[in-house]
Amino acid sequence: SQQGEEDPQALSIQEGENATMNCSYKTSINNLQWYRQNSGRGLVHLILIRSNEREKHSGRLRVTLDTSKKSSSLLITASRAADTASYFCATDSSGGSYIPTFGRGTSLIVHP
Amino acid sequence: DAGVIQSPRHEVTEMGQEVTLRCKPISGHNSLFWYRQTMMRGLELLIYFNNNVPIDDSGMPEDRFSAKMPNASFSTLKIQPSEPRDSAVYFCASSPSGAYNEQFFGPGTRLTVL
């Protein structure tokens, strides 16, 4: 089944640095979503990017989508300790189920 | 809006017992999802309802698991009998319309089966 795979599995940076996470998927999609999960909490939606879009911004977040490479990246600029969390991409499948499936996530630690 | 509400937040039970997890979606949302999260398997979709009707239950592990949505404001996930391998965090999420929109997650129920 379609499932995004995040890379790297874990990322450790200093406050103020940028954090980049990647998501790769196998089949064509309609949408790709990024979510954040703080420890012990539910997932929180960050950004949805559609297959005909190449880039979206939301505050310090920038998401790009390259459908030719079947990949997306999430960039967090000027990271803060509060950005420490796991980040997941969720992809649907344009040729099959519209239900998004989640990858294993990238665990981000931002050191103050 | 209070967001998606799940109860209980924590459940500890013994193998063989029946467990019922509850979810109240956000008012006005048409879609409801049940997920299970473990370190080994990540976040797995168990079942998806649209307008109270189960659309996709292919993720339900086995007959011990059942889910209902008797009305637009309430859903249950039942495990009977429970087994230690069912230990996980179970999340409920709701979405305004359709599976491909933003999902709003509840805080989860941490289930431990001894």
Side-chain angles (χ1 to χ4, degrees):
Chain A
S1 64
Q2 174 78 304
Q3 183 177 42
E5 289 296 331
E6 295 89 347
D7 173 69
Q9 288 188 340
L11 184 59
S12 180
I13 59 174
Q14 294 295 128
E15 207 165 30
E17 294 180 339
N18 295 341
T20 299
M21 289 157 271
N22 303 296
C23 172
S24 59
Y25 55 91
K26 295 185 174 63
T27 62
S28 298
I29 61 171
N30 295 302
N31 306 300
L32 184 144
Q33 304 179 50
W34 284 94
Y35 288 78
R36 182 188 74 224
Q37 184 179 31
N38 290 85
S39 180
R41 312 284 284 271
L43 280 71
V44 174
H45 185 265
L46 297 175
I47 289 183
L48 182 152
I49 187 165
R50 303 194 188 281
S51 59
N52 61 354
E53 297 175 310
R54 292 295 167 258
E55 188 170 309
K56 283 188 90 166
H57 296 253
S58 177
R60 293 183 296 111
L61 306 180
R62 181 171 78 104
V63 168
T64 60
L65 179 63
D66 187 337
T67 53
S68 67
K69 295 182 179 178
K70 293 186 171 58
S71 68
S72 173
S73 67
L74 169 66
L75 168 67
I76 304 174
T77 60
S79 63
R80 305 167 182 168
D83 295 327
T84 295
S86 291
Y87 292 82
F88 296 85
C89 69
T91 53
D92 62 8
S93 174
S94 63
S97 170
Y98 285 99
I99 302 172
T101 54
F102 289 81
R104 293 300 199 102
T106 292
S107 176
L108 172 66
I109 297 176
V110 181
H111 299 279
Chain B
D1 196 325
V4 175
I5 298 172
Q6 290 187 247
S7 65
R9 294 292 311 276
H10 302 273
E11 177 81 30
V12 180
T13 190
E14 292 189 346
M15 184 173 63
Q17 296 297 306
E18 177 180 295
V19 175
T20 299
L21 311 182
R22 298 173 176 79
C23 175
K24 177 178 168 54
I26 293 173
S27 177
H29 283 191
N30 296 333
S31 299
L32 184 140
F33 309 80
W34 281 100
Y35 292 91
R36 176 173 67 178
Q37 187 176 38
T38 61
M39 290 291 291
M40 289 288 290
R41 302 172 73 94
L43 192 67
E44 303 172 276
L45 175 69
L46 300 177
I47 188 168
Y48 156 52
F49 291 88
N50 194 49
N51 292 323
N52 312 339
V53 176
I55 302 299
D56 186 341
D57 65 354
S58 59
M60 296 287 265
E62 45 199 277
D63 292 346
R64 297 185 297 107
F65 285 70
S66 63
K68 294 182 180 179
M69 193 163 185
N71 57 62
S73 59
F74 184 64
S75 177
T76 58
L77 177 68
K78 186 176 293 186
I79 308 172
Q80 166 63 18
S82 58
E83 296 182 2
R85 59 191 169 120
D86 301 330
S87 297
V89 181
Y90 290 82
F91 288 103
C92 175
S94 69
S95 177
S97 57
Y100 42 84
N101 287 313
E102 171 185 354
Q103 295 184 34
F104 295 76
F105 280 74
T109 295
R110 181 174 294 277
L111 173 66
T112 303
V113 183
L114 303 174

